[in-house]
Amino acid sequence: MRRISIFGATGSIGQNTLDLVRRDKKSYKIVALTGGRNIAQLVRDAREFHPDVVVTAFPELLPALKEGVSGLKIEAAAGGLAICEAADRPADWIMSAIVGIAGLAPSLNAVRQGATLALANKESLVTAGPLLLAQAAEHGAVVLPVDSEHSAVFQALLGEDIASVERIIITASGGAFRDWPQADLAHATPAQAQTHPNWLMGRRITIDSASMFNKAMELIETKEFFCIDEAKIETIIHPESLIHAIVGFNDGGMMAHVGAPDMRHAIGFALNHPKRQHLDVARLDFTTIGQFRFFAADEARYPALRLAREVMCKGHLWGAAFNAAKEVALDRFIVSDIGFLDMAQVVEAVLRELDHVGDLNTVSRDLQDILQVDQATRELARTLDV
Ligand code: NDP
C-alpha cells in the first residue's frame, strides 16, 4: 500500500487528486491532508480517507477542525509549522498543491525525506528551483511536474536527450480576456477575470491566466525544471487548450502532447509514474474538435511574459521577487485597490526598484534566503503607487 500525503487537499488540485485516490482506495494509505480555511471540506475528506493527521494553515480554525474529526483516530493540528511537520511524516508520494509561496516549505521537506514529490505548486520552482532540485538530488527524491504543460514536456522528453532539444513551446489558452479589445482591459473586474474558458481551477491561478502571469510563471518553471536556456522557451496562444506543450528537437521533429483540459491527466500520470495505468477521464474525438488554432502571444499586450523573460535571464533570487510582487499585485487587484493592467505595472516597478538594490544576484542557499526576499518584495509591492 502506498503512503501518500496531499498538501492543499481542499483546493482544486487537491480535490482532483482525492478523486483519483477515491477510485482505488485500497491501494493507498493517507498520511496527511492539509487545507486552509475550508474546514468543512477538510473534515469531509478526513472522515472519508482517514489520514493520520489533518492540518489547517490557520490556528484560529483548529477548534472547528478538532471538533470535526472528534471521535476518529485522526490527529488535528494547525499553522505553518504543523504543515511542515506533516511533510516530514514518512510518505512515498506527496502532492504539493498549496497555492502561493506557502507551498515552498512543505515541498522542500517532502524532497528531504526522499519522497516522490508531485509538484503542482509552481511557486516552489519559480522561487527556489535550483535549491529544490539540488535537495531532491541529494536525498534521492523524484520530482514530477503536475502543471499540465510541464507534465506534457516531461512526457514528450521520455527517452530523449535534453541536449537534442531546440525549443519548448508552452501553450496558453489566453484566459478570460483573450478576445477582449486591449482598451477594455483597464476596466476588467476581478469577477470577470476569474472565469476561465477551458480549465476549472482555483481563483488565483484563474486570474493569473487572464493576466498571463500564470504563463509567465510557467516559462520560469520550464527553465528551472528542465534546466534549459530561456532562449529555447516559447509560448503561443492555443485557444482550445488541447495541446499542452510541444517539444522541438534538433532533427526538426516535434512532439506535441494532446489531451483534454482535465488536471486528472497530469495528476494521474504523476500518481502512477513510472507506469501508465488506465485513467477514467475524457478521451478526445479529433473529428469533433476539427481544428487546433494558434496565435502569437503579444508581449506588448501581455507584459507579464516580457517580465518573465527578464527574470529568467537574471536567475538567482529574481524568481522569488517576481513571485512575491505578482502575489501582492494580485491581492491588490482582488480587493480593487489597483486595476487589471496595473498588476503588471506593480511587478515591473518592483523589479526596477530592486535593480538598484542589486543583492538578488546571489545563489539561494536555503529557504531563509528566499523568504527574506519574499518579505522585502511584498513590503515594496504593497506600498508602490501606480
Ligand atoms: P486552490 O486555491 O484551489 O487551492 C489552494 C489550496 O491551498 C487549498 O487547499 C487552500 O486551502 C490551501 N491554502 C491556501 N492558503 C494557504 C496557506 N496560506 N497555507 C496553506 N495552505 C493554504 O488552488 P489550485 O488547486 O488551483 O492551485 C494549487 C497550486 O497548483 C497553485 O500553485 C497553482 O498555481 C498550481 N496549479 C494549479 C492548477 C489547477 O488546475 N488548479 C494547474 C497547475 C498548477 P483552503 O481552500 O481550505 O483555504
Side-chain angles (χ1 to χ4, degrees), residues 87-108:
D88 286 335
R89 293 191 182 217
D92 303 304
W93 188 91
I94 294 179
M95 166 57 78
S96 171
I98 288 173
V99 64
I101 188 78
L104 173 58
S107 292
L108 283 167

Side-chain angles (χ1 to χ4, degrees), residues 7-26:
F7 291 80
T10 50
S12 166
I13 293 286
Q15 290 295 299
N16 275 313
T17 308
L18 285 172
D19 181 54
L20 294 180
V21 170
R22 181 176 289 118
R23 299 169 190 200
D24 188 17
K25 273 188 187 165
K26 286 198 294 296

Side-chain angles (χ1 to χ4, degrees), residues 8-13 35-38 57-58 83 97-100 102 120-123 147 201-202 205 263:
T10 50
S12 166
I13 293 286
R37 300 204 174 275
N38 193 346
F58 303 103
I83 288 182
I98 288 173
V99 64
N121 175 266
K122 56 189 75 189
E123 296 82 358
D147 225 340
M201 307 185 288
I205 185 174
M263 284 309 296

Side-chain angles (χ1 to χ4, degrees), residues 259-277:
D262 181 339
M263 284 309 296
R264 288 171 301 183
H265 280 294
I267 298 168
F269 176 83
L271 189 59
N272 296 323
H273 182 80
K275 291 185 187 154
R276 280 198 189 266
Q277 282 184 12

Side-chain angles (χ1 to χ4, degrees), residues 188-220:
T189 65
Q192 289 167 324
Q194 66 191 53
T195 55
H196 197 282
N198 304 328
W199 294 92
L200 200 57
M201 307 185 288
R203 181 192 197 197
R204 297 182 73 86
I205 185 174
T206 304
I207 300 177
D208 280 348
S209 295
S211 64
M212 282 281 190
F213 269 109
N214 181 47
K215 212 46 58 181
M217 297 279 284
E218 289 178 3
L219 294 178
I220 304 171

Side-chain angles (χ1 to χ4, degrees), residues 3 26 56 58 101 132 148 185 212 225 237 246 250 271 290-291 330 334 340 353 362 367 370 383:
R3 298 164 303 172
K26 286 198 294 296
T56 165
F58 303 103
I101 188 78
L132 182 79
S148 58
L185 292 180
M212 282 281 190
F225 190 86
I237 295 188
I246 304 165
N250 57 5
L271 189 59
Q291 61 175 343
L330 176 58
I334 287 173
F340 181 74
E353 192 75 20
T362 54
L367 179 62
I370 291 151
T383 50

